[in-house]
Amino acid sequence: MRGYEGAAGFGPIDNVEVEVGFGRAKDRDADPDAKIRAVGAAVKWVPLQAESGLSAGFKYEYGRERVSGEATSRADSLAGLATWTFEQGPRVHVNLGRAWVRDDEDVNFWGVGLDVPITEQLDFVIETFGEEHSGPDRQLGLRYTIAEGVKVSGAVGRGNDRTIANVGVAWEF
């Protein structure tokens, strides 16, 4: 499957971020090829924020996905977010959540990640994530800060009999 995603977020008040997103993909393994279209929105609230030590919050997401020739599916999810930042720079992230999928099985999901600064601008990133009834996905990559608020990233990985690759650009303003 190959595709792309995009998202835009806005922080209307301290500790709150509102996000909208979309995605498009094509699964060439299906017969006939399946086109997937998705849209969604999220609200992230992180009331506990620290330069070092624990930062924690919650993220609620709503999503709608349509696969060509099938009915539209809708899902809500809620995740607990936690990050521990060490004074030397590394950060450990843990996410635990549940997704409620209309007309399908609800699932629990999780993620664990580690960001390790290599230089002031370059971080090494490793993560594993998954959901109930499937094996974990694992990937590693790099994140580079081009300028204040502008970052590029890339990662590759494997999991659930598939190869994962992604590239991204983040612009914070």
Side-chain angles (χ1 to χ4, degrees):
M1 183 171 347
R2 293 179 189 229
Y4 60 90
E5 295 179 15
F10 173 67
I13 57 176
D14 285 347
N15 305 330
V16 175
E17 181 180 304
V18 178
E19 178 184 305
V20 294
F22 68 93
R24 303 283 185 264
K26 191 171 196 175
D27 185 354
R28 296 184 189 276
D29 290 338
D31 189 27
D33 290 354
K35 294 179 183 173
I36 303 159
R37 299 176 186 269
V39 295
V43 177
K44 182 167 61 170
W45 176 52
V46 185
L48 181 57
Q49 295 186 19
E51 292 290 322
S52 65
L54 181 64
S55 296
F58 296 95
K59 184 174 186 180
Y60 166 78
E61 292 184 83
Y62 168 80
R64 189 179 75 212
E65 183 179 277
R66 175 143 170 71
V67 178
S68 55
E70 297 181 17
T72 300
S73 67
R74 291 171 172 71
D76 297 276
S77 67
L78 182 63
L81 315 171
T83 297
W84 184 271
T85 304
F86 293 90
E87 288 190 25
Q88 300 81 6
R91 294 174 301 281
V92 176
H93 309 281
V94 177
N95 302 335
L96 297 171
R98 181 152 181 94
W100 296 272
V101 183
R102 290 173 188 81
D103 302 325
D104 203 353
E105 184 177 352
D106 299 339
V107 295
N108 297 315
F109 59 89
W110 58 273
V112 177
L114 173 66
D115 295 359
V116 179
I118 297 173
T119 68
E120 193 171 306
Q121 293 177 289
L122 184 65
D123 287 357
F124 172 74
V125 180
I126 185 167
E127 62 183 343
T128 183
F129 50 92
E131 64 182 35
E132 197 172 11
H133 309 302
S134 73
D137 291 326
R138 296 177 179 93
Q139 65 181 17
L140 55 93
L142 297 171
R143 182 180 311 113
Y144 183 74
T145 302
I146 296 173
E148 181 70 32
V150 180
K151 298 176 184 178
V152 294
S153 61
V156 294
R158 206 85 190 116
N160 294 295
D161 297 324
R162 62 191 172 113
T163 299
I164 306 164
N166 61 61
V167 294
V169 176
W171 179 30
E172 300 167 350
F173 56 93

